[in-house]
Amino acid sequence: MSDDPRHLVATASRILAAQGHDDLIWGHASVRDDEGCWIKSAEWSLGEVTPERVHLVDGAGTVRAGDGPRHSEYPIHTQILAARPDVGAVVHTHPPHAVALAATGQPLRPVSHAANMFVPPAIPRFTATADLILTPELGKQVAAELGDASAVFLVNHGIVTVGPDLQTATVRAVVLERACYQQLLTQSFGGWPTWSDPVESAAKREHIYSDRAVGAVWDHLVRQLAAA
């Protein structure tokens, strides 16, 4: 794959769409740049993103390179990147099962392999507003709630995942939605659900979600996209 961040954002966007994160024209992924971040332009669905539909937005919301209208929620990306030097990429989407689980108030439980990528500790919950994150001040609040975690629930809104690169942030978004789906599915059958204890969860995270494995998952998702 090209090292051009526009190609990377386009590929990640289409992967997210293929994995159930498409929400009409909403949702976005970004890659850090010295001037801000590369992010898709507004008014396109995740599944429609091409490199030509990705532009560079600075911390003030000015489009510095590329074409198209800027997403109004750019502060999610710019403020997290400003607060987290370790983060190289940010994903914000509205996947249905993650939104549903967060709205119930339940914590994510490691009832399957997937949730062990994130918990314990519990995934933070941003509840200051369920409206769009339209200002740098709100972006800073999201970044503060995220803290040093890899994901945050924007309750009644969506999710944010981060990573050292967009490959990792994208895989985390995909796995988080799968984890939420599995928990809701488990609960739908009644009975008394079980889940891994913290010691087992930590071991499973180490055994399953190594950097190499996450990279292999990304490669798999790229291959699936090409095959489709």
Side-chain angles (χ1 to χ4, degrees), residues 54-225:
V54 177
H55 54 203
L56 177 61
V57 176
D58 68 17
T62 302
V63 176
R64 304 300 296 268
D67 301 314
R70 169 187 49 73
H71 269 289
S72 59
E73 287 194 304
Y74 77 91
I76 293 175
H77 301 262
T78 55
Q79 295 302 321
I80 288 175
L81 292 170
R84 291 277 301 271
D86 61 308
V87 167
V90 179
V91 169
H92 168 54
T93 59
H94 314 122
H97 300 95
V99 171
L101 182 65
T104 70
Q106 301 173 64
L108 181 65
R109 303 285 193 186
V111 299
S112 68
H113 286 339
N116 293 284
M117 192 177 204
F118 305 95
V119 299
I123 292 180
R125 294 167 53 85
F126 178 77
T127 59
T129 182
D131 200 351
L132 300 185
I133 307 303
L134 300 177
T135 65
E137 291 72 22
L138 281 172
K140 289 177 183 177
Q141 291 180 44
V142 171
E145 193 63 55
L146 173 68
D148 61 359
S150 61
V152 59
F153 288 125
L154 308 186
V155 178
N156 304 123
H157 179 167
I159 64 168
V160 174
T161 60
V162 301
D165 49 53
L166 188 50
Q167 293 91 329
T168 302
T170 301
V171 171
R172 285 173 174 167
V174 170
V175 174
L176 179 55
E177 169 65 356
R178 288 177 174 232
C180 293
Y181 170 78
Q182 184 64 60
Q183 183 165 330
L184 293 170
L185 178 66
T186 301
Q187 291 173 330
S188 72
F189 286 97
W192 189 258
T194 63
W195 52 81
S196 295
D197 62 32
V199 173
E200 185 173 72
S201 284
K204 290 178 77 173
R205 185 179 305 160
E206 180 180 355
H207 297 156
I208 299 169
Y209 296 112
S210 66
D211 291 345
R212 179 169 179 171
V214 170
V217 171
W218 167 266
D219 291 342
H220 163 71
L221 296 172
V222 171
R223 291 193 301 271
Q224 280 195 317
L225 195 64

Side-chain angles (χ1 to χ4, degrees), residues 1-9 38 51:
M1 179 186 296
S2 169
D3 292 332
D4 186 333
R6 293 169 294 186
H7 285 269
L8 183 57
V9 170
W38 292 93

Side-chain angles (χ1 to χ4, degrees), residues 9 39-42 44-45 47-55 67:
V9 170
I39 186 171
K40 80 176 180 71
S41 61
W44 300 103
S45 74
E48 294 177 305
V49 180
T50 63
E52 296 74 25
R53 293 169 180 167
V54 177
H55 54 203
D67 301 314

